[in-house]
Amino acid sequence: MKASRREFLKATGASSLSLMLGGTYSLRVLAQSQDAMVQHEYSGWENFHRNQWSWDKKTRGAHLINCTGACPHNVYTKDGVVLREEASKDIAPMPGLPEYNPRGCNKGVCGVDYQYGPHRIKYPLIRVGERGEGKWRRASWDEALEMIADKIVDTIKNEAPDCISVFSPVPAVAPVSFAAGHRFAHYIGAHTHTFFDWYGDHPTGQTQTCGVQGDSCETADWFNAKFIILWGANPSITRIPDAHYLSEASLNGTKIVSISPDYNASSIKADQWLHLKPGTDGALGMAMAYVIIKEKLFDVHGVKEQTDLPYLVRKDNQRFLRESDVVANGSTGKFYAWDAKTGKAVIMKGCWGDEPAQKGPPVAFMGRNTNTFPKGYIDLGDLDPALEGTYKIQLKDGSSVEVQPVFDILKTRIMKQNTPEAAAAVTGIPAKVIVQLAKDYATAKPAMIISGGGTNHWYYSDVLLRVFHLLSALTASEGKNGGGLQHYIGQWKPTFLPGLAALAWPETPAKQRFCQTTIWTYVHAEVNDEMLNSNIDTNKYLRKSIATKQMPLLPANGRDPKVFIVYRGNYLNQAKGQKYVLRNLWPKLELIVDINIRMDSTALYSDIVLPSAHWYEKTDLNVTMEHTSINMTEPAIKPMWESRTDWQIFQALAKKVEESARRKKFERYNDEQFKWVRDLTNLWNQMTMDGKLADDEAACQFILDTAPQTKGITMAMLRDKPQRFKGNWTSPMQEGVPYTPFKNYVVDKKPWPTLTGRQQFYFDHDTFFDMGLELPVYKGPINADKFPLRFNTPHSRYAIHSTFKDNVQMLRLQRGGPSVEMAPADAKARGINDNDWVEVWNDHGKVICRVKVRKGEQSGRVSMWHTPELYMDLIEGSSQSVCPVRISPTHLVGNYGHLVFRPNYYGPGGTQRDSRVEVKRYIGATPMPL
Amino acid sequence: MTQRQLAMVIDLNKCIGCQTCTLACKSQWTDRGGREFMYWNHVETRPGKGYPRDWQQAGGGWEGDKLKPGRLPRLAEDYGIPADFSFDATLFKEGEQPLRPTEPMQWGPNWDEDQGAGEFPNGYFFYLPRLCNHCTKPACLAACPRQAISKREEDGIVLIDQERCRGYRYCVAACPYKKIYFNPLAGRSEKCIFCYPRVEQGIPQACAYQCVGRARHVAYLDDREGAVHRLVNEWKVALPLHPEHGTQPNVYYVPPLSPATFDANGKPTGQPRIPDDYLVELFGPAVKQALAVLQREIARKEKGEASALMDMLIAYKHGDMFRLGRPPEQRS
Ligand code: SF4
Ligand code: SF4
Ligand code: SF4
């Protein structure tokens, strides 16, 4: 590789070269090009290319990287060398819709690069230099695993099992790999981590409104929409395999509006682009609600049946009117509406306190299991709940209170606060344009809002999502193909959750320690979020939430974390508050283990690094929310060098812990919390179900067999072609119809899994009142950093988070390294030119990188493609250096009906978008490369 | 004229600039051996200087029956030296050494990505994928004193005979699209081969078959059933790039529509933001009619009426985008 490069540069005269024939010169002129058409024999050099396009083995391949694509590929191998991959193009089409094929992207066609590339970890490595320096010594598997096992046993013995933590995200991608470390943690008593919330991808506002972890339609359903608002979503860059549905919908007559501060790769495809000021989306949304309500464009029946907007609220204390207020021994989980027909308050069916005859088992992704209610349960029938008015109710103590429907309160507020004129002043979008947008949205059927990281990473993203939900509830577009609020961030949805959970936490998740990663990081990294500048005392809410066990903090009893095992995730590189993490959290960790195919930033800053098999060297599954076909990967070749699959690595570690426990005479311990006497000498049997799951493929099949969503699908079938799920989360799977969520509630009319049994917009909870968030409302961005420019970190088309950031082909299609993008006016004001080095800083940290001046960027904001690896061409820091961890108090609520902590179901995200920075030209030295 | 001409249509309204085509081609054909800097297929942001830098000002093509002079692009300044890195020093050796290109990048295949033209909020840009046009009247072919370039009878693919080529680079200068590259290691010129080994097996070109925007149609120009003939000759919505160079390209483009500009009060004007003049500059005067047809047919769809043109561009079935004379189920 190196030699040929030197040759190449020599032959071309390197950078100083101009091809010798540079300049204009005359050519031999031919009167007719045809004259030159000599017939050639195609037997000589042409065969070179024919040979290039040949192979002797074709296998299934997938890219196991949280890209959300889950694109089935074929991998081509010749003479034992993997050559390349190509989209397999065999997802079954659906009638009347453009097909999913070909599914892939620019990174996917370079998947093989990580197999043979210079980033590959070949052997177990033990750090001999400083953390982050890159000085290693090669170790044997035995030595490395023994060191880890000994430390684990010592830590359990001398400290506590919850001082050991295992981080591995995104089970939809390679669930067997995911389960490996989680199952190991499960049996030794260590804690694992949440990730969906920590990454800021969890649609907290949707959990609040709908009582589900999250759910969205598969992207083929975009084609069914008549009107699409891209709201903080840039699919041309972040959903490359799916973006075609937008242009195809557009060619099919669908109107597309892109709402985004900058003119981006998706705005260019829209009929209209609206460039609001960053973070003012909520003002726009509320003004749309104003128009829809004022012009009576809302679906009255839908609002009465599917939302809590008719529910009665007491005027004296702003709480819902509950049955317990009215009747002795009444339920606190039953709520009323005012029936206009009978002139009486009636209890609405399907509330929290209303249980089905046959109670279903808890479902991890639902606030409560409402599946066993009969169909049609929340149908209004003869009921006509009032949306407006004030009524008198007699309470059980004989006194009476005035009550008012939620809708009435909301409407009054909106009419006062959210006029299009007021929104125009905030957003920069003219009032007339807002009015038109609202009318177009409300009258097109079906209309869809597609949102993404642009709107979900704000401090107040939960209420913003509630505003979007309000729009989709007012227009009754949920639960309908082509409609609804659809959010896409992260490949977070393991549709086969029951199968996955059985593999990862075999004694049930109830017997697993889960920490909430945002809180874990915030506390142990001692983050200063500077939220006091915005008059919000995070610690007040956090302390209370932890003390009352609404949210967990591990290790318990004020201990520090000691052992950190990270794999399939780049915790350090992605960490918000990165400076705090490196300065305060990292020194607390006595052993950091990273298991990886490549030397990423977390690996580089670890103590022991173990080589993991590449995606084309192991068997595993891959699913996504973007489509409903499950696909797989399998070994094209054996794991290279000394690498092993994650499933095998944790089995080997289990054996080493057994040995160490015997050696250290610490074979058993009593885990008080779970009343579980753990046997550390039987781990391998537990890991493998007495050997039955020892093989990776057997573990895959176990997931498929155990989940109702995939039962009946075999690995042999997946080898043949991708297979569609047999069941799903909140809607049935229908032949030939794209999946869209919430049909169980909208079509089948079972109660929504929320406290109120409806899409819930009113939260009579102290924290919500305290924060002024009891109803959908516009909350501006946080300005706690006293710096002039908003700092934006969108996803790049050349990377999936940090993966592929260091891919040579991707870097050549950029400018060789990370950069921050800036509007021409902002650059000019600072004397900055395109491709200069710049310093970007605030009180949390600094990043020094190159700048790209981009006309489509809005003045007042800079954007940096999020999370380049720390070792990339940065003079200092990285994109996360200037972003602290900021916890929204409402995310800490865990004692309110469907708002409870469950891993990745509900918990704080940490936010990313509200950071502010200043930028100046960097005039220091730029170190020379080697 | 060759007997048949294989041709490609790229729908710029569907191209999302993802570069999947670029890398599908690269990993298939040009990732080693002195080809690292060459992109037989690349996607550039328009307006922009493109790749190689300022190729539109580099001459070449025909003036009537005469070849126009052309300029050779320079490696570092116009193509850009392909960045390389010392991973080993950064990741596996002591000392903190950032991953920095060993030669600083001055330009690259996508240097001015997304930069475009115009002033906020009325700026504009779009993506233009470019590959050899396998021209009917190839200037490259005419310029080669060794007669090393030929056009295949059976499909019109233009190839450089690697045994005859002596690396004189007249072809590089003559091609007005600058789609021939000199391989300094091999000492020969190289270019897109229209994936003939695949085409011979009835499999579409890597760039087209992998295009996840589903933007590319491939068929023989004379195949009346094929999308290419229908889009180019019947609907006349697909146009060659810079037809004025006279090479008669066989890669055609459906021109891009764009969101409306804003007036001084921030209200949408209803006028597309990509100026017609700019598109005329690229695709010739026929572009106006093509845009009008596209708008008319989209309006039909909006009203719920049928449009055979839109259905063809939507391309419900991926297989329908390609007609190479082999059964569509025969796939790689
Ligand atoms: S595009 Fe250039 S290289 Fe290709 S055939 Fe035409 S003139 Fe020759
Ligand atoms: S046709 Fe083949 S060789 Fe030509 S650009 Fe496309 S992928 Fe590359
Ligand atoms: S793969 Fe298709 S959509 Fe992507 S850049 Fe290439 S032509 Fe455009």
Side-chain angles (χ1 to χ4, degrees):
Chain A
M1 223 37 210
K2 274 268 112 59
S4 81
R5 174 162 181 86
R6 261 200 296 279
E7 256 178 83
F8 171 76
L9 289 176
K10 215 172 94 205
T12 58
S15 56
S16 61
L17 167 116
S18 56
L19 288 174
M20 296 315 293
L21 296 175
T24 309
Y25 61 99
S26 303
L27 290 151
R28 190 167 62 98
V29 177
L30 292 178
Q32 294 257 302
S33 64
Q34 287 96 311
D35 293 354
M37 277 173 207
V38 189
Q39 271 305 303
H40 283 275
E41 284 284 313
Y42 292 107
S43 53
W45 66 271
E46 294 89 344
N47 283 331
F48 168 74
H49 287 310
R50 293 196 186 100
N51 289 336
Q52 251 184 314
W53 191 60
S54 68
W55 56 91
D56 53 35
K57 190 178 173 194
K58 187 171 108 176
T59 47
R60 287 271 168 198
H63 308 122
L64 306 175
I65 53 174
N66 189 16
C67 59
T68 78
C71 307
H73 274 66
N74 290 326
V75 175
Y76 298 89
T77 304
K78 189 151 110 183
D79 300 329
V81 177
V82 180
L83 298 175
R84 57 183 183 87
E85 54 280 271
E86 203 165 313
S88 67
K89 312 178 184 76
D90 50 4
I91 296 179
M94 286 183 267
L97 296 174
E99 59 181 284
Y100 277 110
N101 307 308
R103 253 191 110 67
C105 77
N106 52 348
K107 291 142 322 257
V109 288
C110 297
V112 67
D113 291 7
Y114 273 136
Q115 212 169 357
Y116 297 103
H119 346 61
R120 187 81 198 253
I121 297 162
K122 299 172 181 163
Y123 320 103
L125 297 172
I126 294 176
R127 175 174 65 86
V128 286
E130 294 298 310
R131 279 180 180 165
E133 191 189 357
K135 195 171 174 190
W136 308 98
R137 74 174 168 85
R138 181 175 166 179
S140 69
W141 271 101
D142 271 341
E143 185 195 359
L145 288 178
E146 249 162 56
M147 270 174 86
I148 301 167
D150 283 351
K151 183 71 189 174
I152 285 174
V153 174
D154 288 344
T155 305
I156 297 175
K157 194 172 156 189
N158 304 329
E159 311 274 350
D162 63 4
C163 291
I164 303 167
S165 94
V166 176
F167 182 89
S168 189
V170 202
V173 182
V176 171
S177 271
F178 171 91
H182 284 254
R183 193 173 173 106
F184 175 76
H186 186 67
Y187 280 119
I188 66 167
H191 78 79
T192 55
H193 280 261
T194 64
F195 43 86
F196 189 31
D197 40 16
W198 161 238
Y199 289 151
D201 298 350
H202 173 243
T204 323
Q206 181 166 68
T207 309
Q208 291 166 355
T209 310
C210 304
V212 295
Q213 177 180 356
D215 214 1
S216 292
C217 68
E218 62 178 301
T219 56
D221 204 37
W222 297 355
F223 190 76
N224 286 322
K226 281 271 155 282
F227 191 86
I228 293 175
I229 301 182
L230 289 176
W231 210 327
N234 185 359
S236 293
I237 282 186
T238 64
R239 293 295 177 277
I240 288 173
D242 303 295
H244 66 90
Y245 282 116
L246 290 176
S247 40
E248 282 152 3
S250 176
L251 293 170
N252 199 36
T254 302
K255 282 273 170 246
I256 299 179
V257 178
S258 158
I259 298 177
S260 166
D262 66 330
Y263 188 61
N264 61 45
S266 302
S267 317
I268 67 173
K269 304 286 172 196
D271 294 276
Q272 198 178 1
W273 166 54
L274 297 179
H275 53 98
L276 41 51
K277 295 187 187 130
T280 63
D281 310 75
L284 176 60
M286 289 301 284
M288 288 171 68
Y290 173 99
V291 177
I292 291 169
I293 293 172
K294 180 133 200 247
E295 310 268 331
K296 297 198 169 43
L297 296 173
F298 62 98
D299 185 312
V300 176
H301 184 268
V303 166
K304 289 180 174 178
E305 182 186 88
Q306 294 288 327
T307 76
D308 70 343
L309 295 177
Y311 284 30
L312 298 175
V313 173
R314 291 170 56 156
K315 280 193 161 176
D316 61 338
N317 63 6
Q318 282 77 51
R319 305 281 161 166
F320 278 124
L321 179 69
R322 288 169 160 79
E323 192 191 28
S324 54
D325 295 337
V326 182
V327 188
N329 300 323
S331 165
T332 53
K334 289 188 178 168
F335 309 95
Y336 295 85
W338 188 265
D339 183 14
K341 273 206 193 115
T342 58
K344 277 197 205 127
V346 288
I347 290 177
M348 295 303 278
K349 288 173 81 179
C351 302
W352 196 267
D354 187 5
E355 281 181 2
Q358 274 275 316
K359 222 180 152 197
V363 178
F365 56 81
M366 291 168 83
R368 61 182 171 130
N369 186 345
T370 59
N371 291 336
T372 57
F373 278 97
K375 283 188 185 178
Y377 195 74
I378 63 168
D379 191 301
L380 285 178
D382 288 336
L383 216 59
D384 183 18
L387 291 177
E388 295 180 59
T390 295
Y391 309 96
K392 241 198 182 98
I393 299 282
Q394 194 171 27
L395 301 181
K396 64 185 174 192
D397 64 6
S399 66
S400 69
V401 290
E402 288 196 325
V403 294
Q404 192 183 10
V406 174
F407 183 86
D408 207 356
I409 308 172
L410 180 65
K411 181 180 167 182
T412 311
R413 289 194 192 174
I414 288 179
M415 291 303 135
K416 215 184 283 158
Q417 296 164 8
N418 300 109
T419 61
E421 290 70 26
V426 175
T427 61
I429 300 175
K432 279 190 179 155
V433 177
I434 298 175
V435 172
Q436 193 57 46
L437 174 67
K439 287 183 180 166
D440 290 347
Y441 169 75
T443 51
K445 304 280 177 194
M448 185 183 282
I449 297 174
I450 296 175
S451 77
T455 40
N456 206 55
H457 286 171
W458 293 94
Y459 189 80
Y460 286 114
S461 65
D462 56 351
V463 74
L464 177 55
L465 225 58
R466 287 165 66 201
V467 172
F468 294 163
H469 262 301
L470 177 64
L471 295 174
S472 93
L474 287 172
T475 53
S477 51
E478 286 302 337
K480 293 183 179 147
N481 282 101
L485 161 68
Q486 314 297 344
H487 55 85
Y488 301 91
I489 327 180
Q491 193 169 344
W492 63 274
K493 186 180 171 189
T495 307
F496 42 41
L497 188 57
L500 168 82
L503 188 66
W505 311 291
E507 307 291 325
T508 76
K511 288 193 154 185
Q512 173 61 38
R513 294 191 167 89
F514 292 103
C515 88
Q516 205 287 332
T517 304
T518 314
I519 296 175
W520 187 81
T521 305
Y522 183 89
V523 171
H524 297 304
E526 300 159 40
V527 173
N528 176 10
D529 62 12
E530 297 201 313
M531 284 302 292
L532 287 173
N533 289 347
S534 292
N535 298 319
I536 297 174
D537 182 357
T538 312
N539 276 307
K540 181 182 87 182
Y541 295 99
L542 185 57
R543 269 195 307 270
K544 183 165 180 207
S545 180
I546 293 167
T548 54
K549 296 200 174 349
Q550 297 183 57
M551 290 286 151
L553 172 65
L554 294 173
N557 305 324
R559 286 195 184 87
D560 284 340
K562 301 280 180 200
V563 178
F564 193 29
I565 303 177
V566 183
Y567 73 106
R568 296 172 60 260
N570 197 350
Y571 170 83
L572 173 64
N573 196 65
Q574 308 309 106
K576 292 175 267 274
Q578 195 171 56
K579 277 237 152 161
Y580 303 102
V581 168
L582 275 170
R583 191 195 305 144
N584 302 329
L585 169 57
W586 234 235
K588 292 175 186 163
L589 300 168
E590 292 169 0
L591 176 66
I592 304 169
V593 180
D594 192 89
I595 305 171
N596 216 319
I597 57 171
R598 67 184 178 99
M599 190 61 81
D600 67 11
S601 295
T602 310
L604 192 61
Y605 283 80
S606 298
D607 306 316
I608 300 180
V609 179
L610 302 174
S612 178
H614 181 269
W615 326 315
Y616 301 159
E617 298 163 1
K618 67 178 183 183
T619 306
D620 216 324
L621 303 169
N622 194 17
V623 298
T624 176
M625 178 169 66
E626 323 279 315
H627 67 85
T628 44
S629 291
I630 176 167
N631 62 98
M632 68 175 289
T633 190
E634 63 186 334
I637 57 170
K638 288 207 305 274
M640 281 179 63
W641 309 97
E642 286 190 9
S643 69
R644 301 178 184 178
T645 70
D646 298 328
W647 192 240
Q648 299 305 324
I649 290 171
F650 279 98
Q651 285 181 41
L653 182 58
K655 280 203 175 130
K656 286 290 176 201
V657 173
E658 290 181 5
E659 286 168 21
S660 176
R662 283 197 193 94
R663 216 171 37 237
K664 291 176 185 281
K665 307 216 174 341
F666 187 72
E667 302 191 348
R668 245 158 235 101
Y669 79 93
N670 182 19
D671 192 327
E672 272 297 326
Q673 185 184 343
F674 302 113
K675 312 263 173 288
W676 181 353
V677 179
R678 295 178 187 266
D679 182 354
L680 296 181
T681 64
N682 191 35
L683 286 177
W684 187 84
N685 284 335
Q686 292 176 323
M687 285 294 288
T688 61
M689 208 188 251
D690 300 320
K692 285 195 277 294
L693 300 179
D695 181 54
D696 293 52
E697 183 152 342
C700 292
Q701 190 61 54
F702 175 85
I703 294 177
L704 297 174
D705 290 345
T706 313
Q709 293 85 355
T710 48
K711 198 169 169 53
I713 296 173
T714 64
M715 293 302 281
M717 289 161 73
L718 292 178
R719 244 183 212 103
D720 181 40
K721 58 173 186 281
Q723 303 285 329
R724 204 155 183 242
F725 291 124
K726 298 187 174 304
N728 213 307
W729 283 14
T730 61
S731 291
M733 292 299 297
Q734 293 165 281
E735 177 83 34
V737 180
Y739 176 80
T740 192
F742 305 137
K743 287 185 183 174
N744 290 355
Y745 321 125
V746 175
V747 180
D748 287 351
K749 304 195 180 185
K750 295 179 176 186
W752 289 74
T754 56
L755 177 70
T756 55
R758 304 292 184 276
Q759 294 171 73
Q760 182 164 340
F761 293 100
Y762 191 68
F763 289 82
D764 61 342
H765 183 281
D766 287 341
T767 306
F768 284 76
F769 284 126
D770 223 22
M771 299 295 296
L773 294 172
E774 67 277 13
L775 277 170
V777 65
Y778 166 57
K779 286 279 185 182
I782 293 293
N783 291 323
D785 306 321
K786 302 299 176 199
F787 290 84
L789 299 167
R790 187 75 59 197
F791 186 67
N792 179 44
T793 52
H795 288 195
S796 150
R797 60 158 67 93
Y798 298 107
I800 299 303
H801 312 113
S802 61
T803 311
F804 287 104
K805 284 274 188 215
D806 54 0
N807 177 287
V808 176
Q809 296 299 355
M810 303 301 152
L811 286 164
R812 288 176 182 169
L813 290 177
Q814 303 165 74
R815 292 178 174 186
S819 55
V820 64
E821 299 193 347
M822 207 170 190
D826 293 338
K828 199 165 165 223
R830 290 165 177 78
I832 294 169
N833 293 312
D834 191 46
N835 211 36
D836 278 350
W837 285 94
V838 292
E839 280 181 57
V840 182
W841 81 96
N842 61 16
D843 290 340
H844 307 287
K846 182 192 282 185
V847 48
I848 302 177
C849 63
R850 293 207 188 247
V851 72
K852 183 169 174 180
V853 178
R854 186 164 69 91
K855 293 198 164 81
E857 181 60 287
Q858 189 171 130
S859 184
R861 186 180 89 159
V862 292
S863 296
M864 183 172 185
W865 304 116
H866 101 140
T867 62
E869 295 283 3
L870 293 173
Y871 51 75
M872 294 193 62
D873 197 4
L874 298 156
I875 292 175
E876 188 180 328
S878 185
S879 64
Q880 297 296 55
S881 306
V882 292
C883 300
V885 182
R886 288 194 166 124
I887 293 178
S888 310
T890 43
H891 297 199
L892 293 167
V893 171
N895 60 355
Y896 183 83
H898 59 289
L899 301 187
V900 289
F901 171 74
R902 259 187 250 138
N904 304 307
Y905 165 82
Y906 194 74
T911 73
Q912 178 101 17
R913 294 265 176 270
D914 303 69
S915 304
R916 300 187 74 102
V917 296
E918 177 56 295
V919 179
K920 70 173 178 205
R921 208 153 75 85
Y922 173 74
I923 44 168
T926 49
M928 290 299 291
L930 280 186
Chain B
M1 289 292 280
T2 47
Q3 274 186 1
R4 297 198 84 189
Q5 179 66 52
L6 193 64
M8 189 184 286
V9 169
I10 306 179
D11 183 351
L12 299 185
N13 288 305
K14 292 185 82 174
C15 174
I16 55 172
C18 67
Q19 307 280 1
T20 307
C21 48
T22 306
L23 292 166
C25 174
K26 183 147 267 310
S27 62
Q28 178 107 55
W29 307 121
T30 63
D31 58 357
R32 65 198 72 197
R35 303 183 190 93
E36 292 84 346
F37 81 99
M38 52 174 98
Y39 289 81
W40 291 357
N41 177 99
H42 77 282
V43 184
E44 60 190 42
T45 296
R46 291 270 112 201
K49 292 183 193 300
Y51 164 86
R53 169 152 47 182
D54 290 326
W55 62 272
Q56 285 164 301
Q57 278 83 57
W62 298 94
E63 181 95 70
D65 282 343
K66 291 197 167 63
L67 285 171
K68 279 195 287 185
R71 191 154 42 77
L72 287 182
R74 298 158 300 173
L75 180 69
E77 297 88 337
D78 300 330
Y79 292 111
I81 294 178
D84 215 347
F85 303 87
S86 300
F87 283 92
D88 207 46
T90 302
L91 300 177
F92 299 102
K93 294 278 158 58
E94 63 182 290
E96 289 190 23
Q97 181 64 230
L99 199 64
R100 168 162 309 158
T102 42
E103 299 286 333
M105 271 178 92
Q106 297 177 44
W107 198 252
N110 199 20
W111 187 265
D112 51 5
E113 181 178 42
D114 291 3
Q115 285 181 308
E119 293 312 316
F120 195 96
N122 288 331
Y124 58 97
F125 70 92
F126 61 94
Y127 302 109
L128 183 72
R130 299 209 301 118
L131 62 158
C132 166
N133 295 297
H134 297 276
C135 304
T136 299
K137 214 179 151 192
C140 58
L141 182 153
C144 177
R146 296 250 331 141
Q147 303 195 340
I149 303 184
S150 63
K151 194 165 168 65
R152 306 208 307 185
E153 268 303 307
E154 65 271 35
D155 49 22
I157 294 178
V158 175
L159 294 177
I160 304 175
D161 183 330
Q162 292 297 296
E163 276 155 16
R164 293 184 69 89
C165 176
R166 288 287 176 276
Y168 296 160
R169 283 167 268 182
Y170 289 102
C171 57
V172 179
C175 171
Y177 303 95
K178 292 295 165 279
K179 270 294 167 186
I180 299 191
Y181 306 84
F182 176 68
N183 181 334
L185 280 190
R188 299 195 181 90
S189 298
E190 296 183 22
K191 62 180 280 299
C192 158
I193 57 175
F194 229 29
C195 287
Y196 68 83
R198 297 171 62 108
V199 165
E200 288 167 359
Q201 304 295 319
I203 309 290
Q205 293 85 347
C207 58
Y209 208 29
Q210 303 282 81
C211 168
V212 290
R214 305 172 87 250
R216 299 190 185 210
H217 305 256
V218 180
Y220 289 91
L221 201 50
D222 62 359
D223 177 356
R224 306 190 74 82
E225 300 292 302
V228 174
H229 170 81
R230 284 151 73 192
L231 294 169
V232 173
N233 296 325
E234 287 179 7
W235 288 98
K236 300 194 191 323
V237 292
L239 307 164
L241 178 64
H242 285 307
E244 72 278 11
H245 294 313
T247 62
Q248 298 176 23
N250 287 302
V251 174
Y252 300 83
Y253 297 91
V254 178
L257 302 163
S258 55
T261 51
F262 299 98
D263 65 18
N265 300 319
K267 282 205 65 190
T269 59
Q271 290 306 306
R273 56 180 55 221
I274 305 175
D276 277 1
D277 289 352
Y278 182 67
L279 293 176
V280 169
E281 205 181 302
L282 291 183
F283 303 110
V287 77
K288 291 190 182 173
Q289 181 59 23
L291 290 167
V293 171
L294 290 169
Q295 265 152 355
R296 185 190 73 210
E297 295 296 311
I298 289 179
R300 283 217 169 115
K301 276 280 195 181
E302 226 182 291
K303 282 184 261 162
E305 295 168 14
S307 165
L309 174 61
M310 287 301 125
D311 285 350
M312 192 168 14
L313 292 173
I314 290 169
Y316 291 86
K317 282 197 196 132
H318 187 232
D320 287 352
M321 305 182 80
F322 312 103
R323 272 172 67 93
L324 286 89
R326 305 283 158 117
E329 48 286 354
Q330 191 184 333
R331 286 169 166 167
S332 62

